[in-house]
């Protein structure tokens, strides 16, 4: 069964029991989601990249809890806007594959807009 | 099947094909996730709460795409740190149920630390 | 005297006394700044826009503290990267004035890229 | 003259000319500020800490522009909520000096709550 769909109902029940549904407009949920994403960033902000790969058990549990909070608000937003997250990810992967062709981006972290610019420069070069 | 687990392998393959895995330290992935969360916030920042519930088709598609991007980076982080997102959410829901008891928080959006303070004040009042 | 410049030295001294300067790479400072920005968002996430204009004294002080934290990290980053914030704002205001011409954007919150598209459509229309 | 105060009027005029003031509730401005903070994070997300200290001229200009955008929204919020940013920073620095005493935090990036806990443990140890 689709895990995303399976989690929506208990989260809706949790909000309903507390009469919190009235606060959960999409606008507000996007704010709450970004706040949780920043609490995740906070776990890593003073660590080196190497340290972020070797968390202590206490750090690891804190990270898992913040990841769960992000997921919870993403699922709440998906419920409110009637979004199927599995389909959304699958469709986005198709778009991303087109936006970042392997032969152009391999090993580089430049943004896709920069590739488009590079490509235009190349095209111009070939035309001259 | 667990949807979260099912999506991890194709996302890893996408990163490997582009030789992007080397950029994907947990620290960096937390940054990328928070950037995508903010792109979601950007969709809503000038809308009223009411408008955020009634998106145009163009706005709706933009929101779905940003939600997918958040989910993708959360899954990448889950892969890197060997986190089972389904379990993480289920465990967090148990914690949240204890942190926000229905009888204390119903209809209010105060943070749980404020409830703890209120409770202490109440306790003190009852003791006197 | 330029307030921004005036605040840089005491903030540097604060970090030096605690031997925190070693954590303050521009990358890490950008993370800390975004975390503080989200703590500011957290103050407003469940409030209506109307309520956000009429804060209680307690909410107001919390907001001021978070705004100060954002400003502190922005000043730390400006110190580390040798940026003059006054000049940066003045130069950005010139760019923004060009990006958002009054006659095109008045009363609308659409992003400037959307205006560019609209303009192209208009140009096309006039050419036909 | 106080630079912060000096910048508020031209930014208000910029918003007024475009009839954008109506969008600038404190809630919305906090969202816009956090979005700009994330665009700053985006400049650094795939760079190493070392690379973030040695930006290319193009990267450096992009970072300055994003820093300016953060400052602009912080000033807009300060205008709307009648906050004096200079005073806010000065008062926060006094609070932070008390929260992070040099002898407890030197060379460590632990959060102040962790210090409080450590201190309690130490106190307990000494009492026994």
């Amino acid at each position: 069964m689709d895990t995303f769909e399976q989690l929506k109902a208990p989260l809706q029940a949790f909000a309903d029991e507390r009469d919190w549904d009235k606060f959960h407009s999409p606008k507000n949920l996007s704010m709450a989601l970004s706040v949780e994403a920043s609490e995740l960033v906070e776990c890593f902000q003073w660590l080196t990249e190497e340290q972020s790969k070797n968390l202590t058990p206490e750090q690891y549990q804190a990270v898992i809890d913040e990841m769960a909070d992000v997921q919870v608000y993403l699922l709440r937003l998906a419920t409110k806007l009637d979004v199927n997250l599995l389909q959304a990810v699958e469709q986005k992967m198709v778009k991303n594959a087109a936006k970042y062709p392997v032969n152009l981006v391999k090993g580089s972290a430049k943004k896709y807009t920069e590739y488009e610019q590079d490509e235009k420069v190349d095209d111009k070069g070939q035309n001259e």
Side-chain angles (χ1 to χ4, degrees), chain A residues 41-60:
Chain A
V41 168
E42 197 178 6
C43 298
F44 294 115
Q45 66 187 348
W46 307 126
L47 303 186
T48 63
E49 287 186 63
E50 220 31 52
Q51 288 170 331
S52 80
K53 295 175 190 167
N54 298 285
L55 301 172
T56 66
E58 195 177 40
Q59 291 170 330
Y60 187 54

Side-chain angles (χ1 to χ4, degrees), chain A residues 24-88:
Chain A
H24 289 188
S25 66
K27 180 183 177 95
N28 288 1
L29 288 171
S30 77
M31 297 172 80
L33 190 157
S34 78
V35 168
E36 298 300 339
S38 284
E39 293 184 2
L40 185 61
V41 168
E42 197 178 6
C43 298
F44 294 115
Q45 66 187 348
W46 307 126
L47 303 186
T48 63
E49 287 186 63
E50 220 31 52
Q51 288 170 331
S52 80
K53 295 175 190 167
N54 298 285
L55 301 172
T56 66
E58 195 177 40
Q59 291 170 330
Y60 187 54
Q61 187 56 52
V63 164
I64 291 176
D65 281 355
E66 299 304 344
M67 291 173 70
D69 282 336
V70 172
Q71 186 65 65
V72 162
Y73 279 118
L74 194 57
L75 284 159
R76 288 295 296 147
L77 193 56
T79 301
K80 287 299 175 182
L81 292 175
D82 199 18
V83 170
N84 183 304
L85 280 171
L86 174 59
Q87 280 181 17

Side-chain angles (χ1 to χ4, degrees), chain A residues 2-16:
Chain A
D2 183 335
T3 324
F4 294 120
E5 297 307 309
Q6 181 186 337
L7 284 166
K8 283 176 173 175
L11 289 170
Q12 182 65 49
F14 187 93
D16 284 339

